[in-house]
């Protein structure tokens, strides 16, 4: 994984790839970047994995559509394909143009953000700048959520709230929080959040999608809070006010 979808922790992908290939140089490495793609830059020239994927829906794109990269050698491995096509051919049937159009608009948007800060005619440079600004904005909001503002206490300082898997170095973390309450079960807390207009998600041991990671972290569950760059400081303060109110419930 490029980043944990429970804690937000960023893994040192470049080091993992380098160390793994010291042991087995011809190792095939596939990375899951679904969680990280909306929050940071991915560069397969610097992290030479053989395969990587992300989901456009994480970035206002369409659901039911995934994007993947495969290296030349991975592309030639046996896979489902039309018999008459070359060994490295992966397309089955006709693609859905609307999905690609939607993804193009996502890229256009990030490049537009980049244009607010640098002048360049190169799309990659604009995209990198846009994603860099997204990350910096999210990091500032993450700090406010944890430490609070002059108007409201942060998660680290509200009695009755537990910040799981906290990370002091916010450069090593995407903007995801795993929290819990002393007085509320995870599912019940999510329901109270939703009633207050805040969307969060419970992660429980009973879920086959969450149990492996929760068990590895030694957690029975958590509430996943995952703001994105279009939020502002007022949104964070409102979330913290709701959180403080939930702490007073029985």
């Amino acid at each position: 994984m490029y980043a944990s979808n429970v804690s937000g922790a960023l893994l040192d992908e470049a080091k993992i790839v380098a160390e793994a290939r010291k042991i087995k140089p011809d190792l095939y490495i596939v990375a899951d970047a679904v969680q990280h793609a909306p929050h940071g830059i991915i560069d397969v020239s610097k992290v030479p994995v053989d395969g990587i994927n992300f989901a456009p829906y994480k970035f206002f794109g369409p659901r039911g559509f995934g994007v993947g990269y495969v290296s030349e050698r991975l592309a030639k491995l046996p896979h489902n394909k039309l018999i008459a096509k070359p060994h490295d051919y992966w397309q089955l049937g006709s693609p859905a143009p609307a999905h690609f159009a939607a993804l193009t608009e996502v890229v256009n948007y990030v490049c537009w953000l980049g244009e607010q800060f640098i002048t360049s005619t190169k799309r990659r440079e604009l995209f990198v700048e846009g994603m860099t600004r997204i990350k910096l904005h999210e990091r500032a909001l993450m700090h406010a959520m944890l430490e609070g503002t002059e108007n409201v206490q942060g998660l680290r300082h509200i009695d009755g709230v537990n910040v799981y898997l906290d990370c002091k170095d916010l450069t090593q973390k995407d903007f995801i929080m795993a929290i819990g309450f002393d007085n509320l079960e995870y599912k019940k807390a999510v329901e109270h959040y939703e009633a207050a207009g805040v969307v969060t998600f419970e992660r429980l041991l009973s879920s086959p999608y969450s149990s492996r990671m929760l068990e590895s972290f030694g957690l029975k569950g958590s509430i996943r809070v995952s703001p994105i760059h279009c939020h502002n400081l007022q949104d964070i303060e409102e979330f913290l006010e709701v959180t403080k109110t939930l702490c007073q419930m029985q």
Side-chain angles (χ1 to χ4, degrees):
M1 298 179 75
Y2 229 95
S4 169
N5 62 0
V6 172
S7 70
L10 286 167
L11 304 185
D12 190 340
E13 293 286 344
K15 184 176 181 180
I16 291 172
V17 171
E19 293 299 315
R21 290 207 169 114
K22 282 182 183 178
I23 300 170
K24 185 176 176 58
D26 61 346
L27 182 68
Y28 287 93
I29 300 176
V30 178
D32 176 356
V34 171
Q35 180 55 60
H36 179 61
H39 304 286
I41 290 297
I42 296 170
D43 190 339
V44 294
S45 68
K46 295 180 179 179
V47 184
V49 294
D50 291 286
I52 197 165
N53 72 310
F54 71 92
Y57 84 89
K58 289 278 190 177
F59 214 148
F60 304 124
R63 289 183 176 272
F65 173 51
V67 177
Y69 157 83
V70 293
S71 65
E72 289 187 14
R73 67 188 193 119
L74 180 59
K76 296 175 183 177
L77 287 180
H79 57 274
N80 292 331
K81 72 176 187 66
L82 300 174
I83 295 174
K85 295 293 185 179
H87 292 301
D88 59 353
Y89 191 85
W90 284 64
Q91 184 170 303
L92 294 172
S94 300
H99 286 167
F100 290 98
L103 186 58
T104 297
E105 287 307 310
V106 170
V107 175
N108 287 343
Y109 165 69
V110 176
C111 289
W112 173 82
L113 287 177
E115 288 175 343
Q116 311 310 304
F117 299 94
I118 65 171
T119 300
S120 176
T121 58
K122 297 180 179 180
R123 295 266 287 175
R124 176 66 182 179
E125 290 180 358
L126 292 173
F127 187 86
V128 169
E129 183 66 21
M131 289 304 305
T132 298
R133 296 296 172 167
I134 284 174
K135 176 166 282 294
L136 291 174
H137 180 69
E138 290 185 346
R139 191 176 298 157
L141 294 180
M142 181 163 44
H143 181 269
M145 182 177 283
L146 288 167
E147 291 296 339
T149 70
E150 60 183 10
N151 300 316
V152 63
Q153 290 178 304
L155 292 176
R156 287 172 174 164
H157 308 288
I158 298 176
D159 291 336
V161 174
N162 303 297
V163 182
Y164 302 139
L165 310 166
D166 199 358
C167 178
K168 301 301 182 182
D169 183 0
L170 299 186
T171 66
Q172 302 301 310
K173 177 179 172 67
D174 282 340
F175 196 5
I176 298 172
M177 298 292 168
I179 67 172
F181 290 88
D182 291 342
N183 61 326
L184 288 174
E185 295 180 349
Y186 303 111
K187 189 173 181 61
K188 183 62 67 174
V190 168
E191 292 173 356
H192 284 306
Y193 269 128
E194 186 169 356
V198 179
V199 178
T200 60
F201 298 92
E202 72 271 17
R203 294 289 182 257
L204 304 174
L205 282 175
S206 58
S207 167
Y209 299 103
S210 304
S211 59
R212 179 180 59 82
M213 282 183 287
L214 290 173
E215 288 173 351
S216 70
F217 292 139
L219 294 175
K220 295 181 179 179
S222 72
I223 300 162
R224 184 178 187 269
V225 186
S226 53
I228 51 179
H229 72 280
C230 61
H231 288 109
N232 57 31
L233 190 59
Q234 181 180 347
D235 295 324
I236 301 304
E237 289 180 338
E238 290 178 0
F239 166 79
L240 292 173
E241 290 287 1
V242 171
T243 300
K244 195 168 184 178
T245 299
L246 265 58
C247 287
Q248 299 164 1
M249 292 182 172
Q250 298 298 326

